[in-house]
């Protein structure tokens, strides 16, 4: 009951993965439980936010870049500490409740894979727990 | 084993929902497991922080407003992108361990519903997983 | 299936607790499930980030101090509101998938206890859910 999904990411962006998570759920006959969406990368993360107006995630990317910029004091040689920081701010996973076989998301909620250091080949895991 | 709670929120604020979560737990005979507190809104979130001195959450609201302000570059028509950003920074859920039938919170920890775009009629879910 | 670990923290810092979480897992015969790493303190948190180059967490501590500083407007008497804020930004717990008896972490991922108001005697809990 662990599902792995691959994706190609842009330079920076929020990719709506709600339908992928639903696909994983449809492969199960579980009515009640929880679902963990997990990002195994350290410069990307998972969040839940609005899926109606794509301008919301545009604004989020802009604001994150503005508030958590690259800093001259950063010492990490790879030069992507700002992306590592954003990953810890957004978080590496999201937990969603499963009810009557469906994700119990709010009306405007979508699940996003957040890329902060792309473009890259990435993956995420969906784990379903019955209960 | 999903409990729904409704609340009326102020303009912006951290509402202590610890007792509501305990109420949900008391309706169960579960001794061991975990509890997910989930916010189905995209301009609000759930966090765990100090419940002893109410000045802490006042300072948090002030700091979040100061650090994540509205920006002239935001394009989302509804004009509440700062609230969407705070929601993703705080997170849409919290997970708490259940031990001997109680929430395993630290001495000073309370569970908060965080409103960033009120006043509104809001709700949150409490899901209990035995294990 | 709740394991408690104690640690002594520095003034501020990210302490790699991945091996402690693995220890907890080794005491179980659980092949599949999830693992919740929970911090019961309100000026500390748990995050997942790079464990290869220690400069990454140095940069994270620097950036967090820079972006979430102490503010003259803070009213909380104890004077550590910035630490409370960082705790809510990082989050009080992390969830990791267990697969074939191991933590399903990414290649570069480690689990960190984040101290924002030390030095102190701290603890964290590891809860394992089979499923």
């Amino acid at each position: 009951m662990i599902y792995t999904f691959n994706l190609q990411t842009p330079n920076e962006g929020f990719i709506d993965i709600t339908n992928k998570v639903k696909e994983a759920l449809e492969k199960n006959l579980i009515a009640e439980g929880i679902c963990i969406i997990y990002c195994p990368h350290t410069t990307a993360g998972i969040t839940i936010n609005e899926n109606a107006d794509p301008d919301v995630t545009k604004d989020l990317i802009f604001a994150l870049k503005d508030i958590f910029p690259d800093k001259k004091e950063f010492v990490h040689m790879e030069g992507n500490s700002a992306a590592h920081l954003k990953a810890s701010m957004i978080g590496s996973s999201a937990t969603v409740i499963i009810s009557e076989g469906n994700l119990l998301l709010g009306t405007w909620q979508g699940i996003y894979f957040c890329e902060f250091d792309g473009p890259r080949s990435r993956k995420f895991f969906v784990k379903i727990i019955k209960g």
Side-chain angles (χ1 to χ4, degrees), chain A residues 2 4 28 39 42-43 50-51 54 56 66 69 71 76 78-81 84 89 92-93 105 115 120 123 125-126:
Chain A
I2 301 172
T4 304
N28 277 271
C39 170
T42 58
T43 52
E50 175 163 334
N51 67 354
V56 171
D66 192 60
K71 301 250 178 200
H76 177 44
E78 226 188 315
N80 60 352
S81 286
H84 284 288
M89 292 291 97
S92 54
S93 72
L105 291 167
E115 175 61 79
R120 295 208 200 196
K123 63 183 172 183
F125 306 125
V126 176

Side-chain angles (χ1 to χ4, degrees), chain A residues 43-90:
Chain A
T43 52
I46 306 288
T47 199
I48 291 171
N49 216 302
E50 175 163 334
N51 67 354
D53 177 3
D55 281 345
V56 171
T57 53
K58 274 185 210 163
D59 287 352
L60 294 194
I61 293 160
F62 169 80
L64 289 170
K65 231 182 245 192
D66 192 60
I67 295 160
F68 305 105
D70 195 25
K71 301 250 178 200
K72 64 178 190 304
E73 293 90 345
F74 284 161
V75 290
H76 177 44
M77 291 267 295
E78 226 188 315
N80 60 352
S81 286
H84 284 288
L85 177 60
K86 290 177 203 171
S88 270
M89 292 291 97
I90 285 288

